[in-house]
Amino acid sequence: IQEIFGYTGPRTSRRFQIEDDAEHREVLAGRRILLVEDTPFNQEIALEFLNQVDSIVSVAQNGAEALKKLEREPFDLVLMDCQMPVMDGFEATRRIRQQLGLRELPIIAMTANAMKGDRQKCLDAGMDDYLSKPVVQQTLYQTLAGWLRGGTDRPEEPPGEAQNAYDREEALRQMGGDESMLETFLKRFREDHADAVEQVIKALDEQDLETAHRLAHSLKGMAATLGARILKANAEELEEAIAAGAVSTHLERLLCRVDTALQAFLTQIEKTTEES
């Protein structure tokens, strides 16, 4: 098709992609991976990616659950979310290293892409490497395979693109090009998170800043995964403002922006779905 239209730029080789996936599957198949993640949406995406390469995955909802699982059974690698209730990923990692003595176990952080200082904080806590959210399928495979081989052949992460209400190409990239998976998660988002702003407002009204912060953080991660760049940026700003103890008037302005971006995203994905 490229040749017919006179396009002479670089091409992506599907054959190379298949061979690359087969190489990763050879390393990852049958390996026991502990996924420590509290958000169901993120759990499902990670599980889908890891199931495709036949890894054996166990899920822990927070750091405390992860410690209990590691006490009972062996794992080859841990994928550790950083921000979780009960016990976060930083404290869990410190206890895994010191309390359980598992100093050689690879622990890969999953951290928000733009949180200032998060990456260094992960390494300082004893984690071996990090993956920026939203986690890209091929980056996940390459990073995990590198550590399970005993090395670190993690790729450079691709640069960001211009913000759009809904960047379907970006969303597909996050899903490894799987249209069916993308439609499943878009449907899940519409059903479960259309009232995300109302949930944050309710938590703030009840002075439950921890829940409000966690809701904003989750919305940011889901928006990034689904290609909603404007929503992601606004949710991130709200998350940081809640963490900083911003005054209510400032939070109200940010909530308005998040709501506007959320509605634009929902409208755009509905329009795109109808067109397809």
Side-chain angles (χ1 to χ4, degrees):
I1 292 172
Q2 289 175 334
E3 289 173 355
I4 290 171
F5 286 95
Y7 180 72
T8 58
R11 307 173 189 174
T12 300
S13 170
R14 178 60 185 155
R15 179 181 177 187
F16 174 80
Q17 185 70 57
I18 293 171
E19 291 173 350
D20 200 37
D21 285 351
E23 181 182 348
H24 292 145
R25 182 175 285 104
E26 184 177 343
V27 177
L28 298 173
R31 305 305 290 266
R32 296 178 56 81
I33 295 175
L34 178 59
L35 172 64
V36 191
E37 169 65 62
D38 67 307
T39 305
F41 185 90
N42 292 335
Q43 287 178 9
E44 288 189 47
I45 291 176
L47 283 169
E48 180 66 29
F49 288 166
L50 293 169
N51 287 338
Q52 287 183 18
V53 289
D54 301 322
S55 296
I56 302 170
V57 187
S58 181
V59 177
Q61 302 288 337
N62 53 63
E65 284 190 18
L67 287 173
K68 291 179 181 178
K69 286 180 178 287
L70 286 164
E71 286 175 342
R72 294 195 303 264
E73 52 188 311
F75 288 92
D76 297 305
L77 183 144
V78 177
L79 271 174
M80 181 74 76
D81 185 25
C82 291
Q83 298 189 33
M84 296 176 290
V86 184
M87 183 186 295
D88 65 24
F90 305 115
E91 178 62 24
T93 299
R94 283 189 285 268
R95 295 196 186 192
I96 290 169
R97 299 304 192 203
Q98 299 169 13
Q99 184 176 314
L100 302 185
L102 299 174
R103 301 188 182 279
E104 303 302 319
L105 175 67
I107 301 177
I108 312 300
M110 295 185 295
T111 182
N113 195 20
M115 288 294 284
K116 299 177 180 64
D118 251 12
R119 296 176 177 182
Q120 189 57 47
K121 190 176 178 183
C122 292
L123 301 177
D124 291 343
M127 301 179 192
D128 296 292
D129 206 342
Y130 59 84
L131 288 165
S132 293
K133 290 183 179 179
V135 175
V136 179
Q137 187 179 41
Q138 288 302 310
T139 306
L140 174 70
Y141 291 163
Q142 190 164 347
T143 301
L144 268 57
W147 281 101
L148 290 171
R149 289 192 193 100
T152 55
D153 59 347
R154 79 190 304 274
E156 291 296 318
E157 296 181 14
E161 300 173 10
Q163 291 187 343
N164 298 294
Y166 173 43
D167 188 337
R168 187 175 179 84
E169 290 187 5
E170 171 69 8
L172 272 173
R173 187 175 70 83
Q174 308 293 353
M175 301 289 165
D178 191 325
E179 293 267 4
S180 177
M181 190 194 305
L182 175 58
E183 290 303 325
T184 296
F185 284 111
L186 286 173
K187 181 175 183 290
R188 182 72 55 81
F189 183 88
R190 291 195 299 267
E191 292 173 349
D192 297 345
H193 302 287
D195 64 342
V197 172
E198 286 81 358
Q199 292 181 37
V200 175
I201 291 173
K202 182 176 182 292
L204 290 172
D205 286 344
E206 296 172 352
Q207 301 296 309
D208 188 352
L209 297 182
E210 181 180 349
T211 297
H213 182 267
R214 187 168 66 251
L215 288 169
H217 177 76
S218 296
L219 181 62
K220 177 189 68 176
M222 289 182 288
T225 298
L226 295 175
R229 291 185 170 273
I230 296 175
L231 177 58
K232 182 258 182 186
N234 283 290
E236 180 174 34
E237 192 174 358
L238 175 62
E239 175 194 12
E240 293 180 348
I242 293 171
V247 296
S248 59
T249 51
H250 182 51
L251 293 177
E252 287 171 7
R253 286 195 295 270
L254 294 177
L255 281 163
C256 286
R257 292 182 196 169
V258 171
D259 190 44
T260 299
L262 175 60
Q263 297 310 315
F265 174 51
L266 292 171
T267 299
Q268 188 62 40
I269 59 178
E270 288 288 353
K271 180 181 176 182
T272 305
T273 302
E274 290 172 3
E275 292 174 349
S276 60

